[in-house]
Amino acid sequence: MSFARKLFANLKNAVRNREGFPAFERSAEEQYIQMLLTNSLGSTFYADRQQLLAEAAELHADMALRNPQWMAQAIVFARREGFMRLQPIYGLAVLSAHRPDLFARIFDQVVLIPPDLADFLTVLEGLGRGQGGRAVKRQVARFLNGLTEYWAVKYNGRGRGYSLGDAIATAHPKPADLRQQALFRYLRGLEANLALLPQVEALERLKRAAGEAEQLACIERGQLPFETVTGALKPTPAVWEALLRQMPAFALLRHLNALTRAGVFDKRENVAYAVARLTDRDALRKARILPFRFAAAYREIEHPQLREALRQAVDLTFDNLPELGGRTAIFLDVSGSMEGGYLQTGSIFALALYKQTSGNTIFWLFDTEVTDVRPSREASILGQAERIRAGGGTDAGAPLRKLQRERKVVDRIVMITDEQQNSGSAFYQELKAYRSSVNPEVQAFIVDMAPYRQALVPQEDRRTFYIYGWSDTVLAYMAQAAQGFDSLLERVATIDVEEAQPSAAVSAQER
């Protein structure tokens, strides 16, 4: 072998993960959709917020130049089906500078509620784009022309970044009638005819209410959202009780602890109401609540009936998934870098998938060792997930070595991980060995919980599917892929940005 060949032959596989372990690099498109679906710009085990922000900026800018059409499709997919918010908004702001036409087509698929608009304008300012130009102002004005009184009282937010009044001053939308004119004037802080705005009038009377009875009357008359009420006054137990009856499912979940502290659940009828809301299958489906939200509430609440309702809620969230035929091996990474949100969400996914598989499914936990935990299909997902703990290093090859030693034949392997292997033999090496010695047709699914850009498997492996994100659509996609769907990238490519309609899950997009 020549010196040059020795020196350069392995450069293409010289990628290293955050632990310095050999890894692979996926395509730019796949790195982009991974970032959209997993990078919420919070600090992780291996990267702080600024590092993730810098990587996001690089990927958004690169994709806007490389493939803006696909970028637009990926942004819409991440917002509508991945239920992510800030990264799609960031991508939308970048796209507006490169392809105003594509930006205009997808704006109302990404900016769904007023906080989205506020964040979009904040990102624009951070990018040095000012007010964004005519193309941006046109879309902002269209959004503002659809404002409702409910949005006005819930999201007014003067003094907290970009308010609706700031947006109106920026885009100068033309009011369609006297009512809308009054609404715009109110949001700008100008004198307005509140007789045309009964919900706004109820809020303003609430701020001046002399006592609890008047407060309750204003809340009921205006059907005022809890954020508005709690921003205007310090709620008494009676006020909290009134708000309980008006909270959407997601708001109820977020405020279970506050309601408990206020003594609302000292009354059995209030407990019964909350339990009924939290276990309403249709309400949960519409709210599209991400599973880690249930886990967070579960950790905070001690009330036994409410905890049981949360356990049921998670099971109901996943119970409409199609069953996967054949035999499945589920490998859940419980190494130290999975500690926290990754493990909470990953455990729920793994157990939900286990419940949806038929036959003698394998369910193993791994760090540098492999543990067969044999979960129950009857016990709740959340209750079992709570008992799974993280710690130790990461040997992603370990469960495959065990699978080979025991000559276990499976149709698919599902690994839920942050992909940061740091010891043992490489996952891909062991996957190839398993295919060679046990089942050459086995499919592998890597459910990546993290935004890190290095991968366990190279792009050219057509029997391995990469899945990113935290919503229940992860498991639905897996069922599709098992039936012949090719890749998440090809799923994104089916998004029609010409005719896409706003998501029906707007109520859940306040996270």
Side-chain angles (χ1 to χ4, degrees):
M1 180 182 290
S2 71
F3 177 73
R5 180 175 291 275
K6 288 180 181 179
L7 188 61
F8 294 103
N10 294 320
L11 271 185
K12 67 178 182 179
N13 292 327
V15 177
R16 301 275 169 172
N17 67 17
R18 304 277 173 145
E19 287 276 15
F21 199 85
F24 297 93
E25 188 170 74
R26 309 289 286 188
S27 70
E29 283 78 12
E30 188 151 351
Q31 289 183 43
Y32 187 68
I33 195 66
Q34 175 188 18
M35 182 268 294
L36 285 175
L37 292 172
T38 63
N39 187 348
S40 57
L41 293 174
S43 296
T44 68
F45 189 88
Y46 291 103
D48 63 24
R49 185 173 299 172
Q50 290 306 312
Q51 288 175 289
L52 292 175
L53 181 60
E55 290 186 2
E58 177 188 343
L59 285 168
H60 283 307
D62 177 66
M63 195 53 57
L65 293 171
R66 178 193 298 267
N67 195 344
Q69 174 72 28
W70 193 88
M71 178 185 185
Q73 292 171 305
I75 289 170
V76 172
F77 176 84
R79 189 71 173 108
R80 290 170 56 199
E81 299 190 30
F83 308 110
M84 297 300 285
R85 185 171 166 274
L86 189 53
Q87 282 293 358
I89 289 170
Y90 188 178
L92 181 71
V94 173
L95 187 64
S96 70
H98 293 266
R99 286 289 302 273
D101 57 327
L102 286 172
F103 157 79
R105 289 178 205 162
I106 70 170
F107 182 87
D108 62 358
Q109 315 308 312
V110 181
V111 176
L112 304 178
I113 55 176
D116 298 345
L117 181 65
D119 286 344
F120 171 74
L121 293 172
T122 299
V123 173
L124 269 187
E125 185 178 51
L127 293 173
R129 299 276 316 287
Q131 297 176 355
R134 284 183 296 177
V136 169
K137 287 184 179 181
R138 190 178 304 117
Q139 297 306 315
V140 173
R142 285 182 61 242
F143 180 89
L144 293 170
N145 281 127
L147 282 180
T148 64
E149 274 192 79
Y150 179 82
W151 276 1
V153 298
K154 185 172 182 178
Y155 299 118
N156 190 12
R158 283 193 288 267
R160 291 178 289 178
Y162 272 96
S163 69
L164 287 171
D166 296 329
I168 291 167
T170 296
H172 305 292
K174 291 183 171 57
D177 51 33
L178 290 176
R179 180 182 168 282
Q180 194 171 68
Q181 183 182 60
L183 186 62
F184 287 171
R185 289 184 61 82
Y186 170 75
L187 290 169
R188 290 290 311 280
L190 304 173
E191 185 177 347
N193 182 1
L194 298 189
L196 299 172
L197 306 171
Q199 205 165 18
V200 171
E201 187 176 39
L203 171 60
E204 293 305 314
R205 289 192 177 185
L206 174 69
K207 294 175 183 177
R208 303 187 301 270
E212 185 178 79
E214 188 178 353
Q215 290 172 350
L216 292 173
C218 291
I219 293 168
E220 182 178 356
R221 182 167 60 251
Q223 289 295 291
L224 298 177
F226 74 95
E227 299 97 334
T228 300
V229 175
T230 55
L233 52 84
K234 184 176 181 180
T236 64
V239 168
W240 273 117
E241 191 171 348
L243 292 175
L244 169 67
R245 296 297 196 275
Q246 297 177 195
M247 286 184 180
F250 182 56
L252 174 59
L253 181 67
R254 288 183 61 189
H255 290 83
L256 282 176
N257 211 18
L259 291 162
T260 301
R261 290 197 305 270
V264 171
F265 296 126
D266 293 344
K267 295 183 178 180
R268 282 184 292 182
E269 60 268 29
N270 291 338
V271 174
Y273 174 83
V275 168
R277 290 296 311 283
L278 291 169
T279 56
D280 182 329
R281 190 190 313 269
D282 290 338
L284 292 172
R285 178 179 52 78
K286 292 174 183 176
R288 310 298 297 190
I289 300 171
L290 297 178
F292 70 87
R293 297 290 189 184
F294 291 107
Y298 189 77
R299 289 195 309 274
E300 294 176 352
I301 293 297
E302 296 181 2
H303 194 291
Q305 287 174 271
L306 294 175
R307 283 173 66 86
E308 176 58 29
L310 291 172
R311 286 192 285 263
Q312 291 180 41
V314 171
D315 289 350
L316 288 169
T317 298
F318 290 105
D319 75 348
N320 63 343
L321 297 175
E323 284 197 3
L324 299 177
R327 196 177 188 205
T328 301
I330 302 168
F331 304 150
L332 175 61
D333 184 350
V334 293
S335 62
S337 62
M338 289 284 287
E339 181 68 57
Y342 291 164
L343 185 64
Q344 292 164 12
T345 303
S347 300
I348 291 171
F349 281 155
L351 289 160
L353 177 60
Y354 181 77
K355 282 198 168 192
Q356 292 298 324
T357 53
S358 57
N360 184 24
T361 304
I362 294 168
F363 188 101
W364 291 344
L365 308 181
F366 74 93
D367 42 37
T368 53
E369 304 291 333
V370 179
T371 305
D372 185 353
V373 291
R374 301 180 184 275
S376 166
R377 282 193 174 83
E378 284 70 45
S380 74
I381 292 171
L382 201 53
Q384 295 184 87
E386 188 186 35
R387 296 193 291 272
I388 297 176
R389 297 285 182 268
T394 312
D395 180 358
L400 277 164
R401 292 196 301 274
K402 179 177 171 66
L403 210 60
Q404 290 175 72
R405 281 196 310 270
E406 299 179 6
R407 308 297 294 176
K408 292 185 181 294
V409 179
V410 297
D411 298 290
R412 71 189 58 82
I413 293 163
V414 180
M415 177 169 282
I416 301 173
T417 177
D418 65 354
E419 293 201 89
Q420 298 306 299
Q421 182 166 357
N422 58 19
S423 64
S425 54
F427 174 84
Y428 189 52
Q429 172 187 328
E430 298 299 343
L431 178 61
K432 289 191 294 184
Y434 180 82
R435 285 172 173 161
S436 175
S437 63
V438 181
N439 181 7
E441 301 301 321
V442 69
Q443 292 178 315
F445 294 87
I446 310 295
V447 182
D448 196 332
M449 308 301 295
Y452 315 128
R453 294 157 65 178
Q454 304 79 30
L456 291 171
V457 178
Q459 189 83 29
E460 58 266 22
D461 184 337
R462 302 300 295 173
R463 292 196 303 279
T464 296
F465 302 85
Y466 263 76
I467 303 172
Y468 306 103
W470 304 329
S471 79
D472 61 350
T473 58
V474 168
L475 300 183
Y477 166 76
M478 192 177 299
Q480 291 177 328
Q483 295 165 17
F485 207 93
D486 288 330
S487 74
L488 188 57
L489 300 188
E490 290 169 335
R491 171 68 189 93
V492 170
T494 67
I495 297 294
D496 187 348
V497 297
E498 299 284 350
E499 299 180 4
Q501 295 300 313
S503 170
V506 172
S507 62
Q509 304 302 336
E510 299 163 30
R511 27 187 171 273

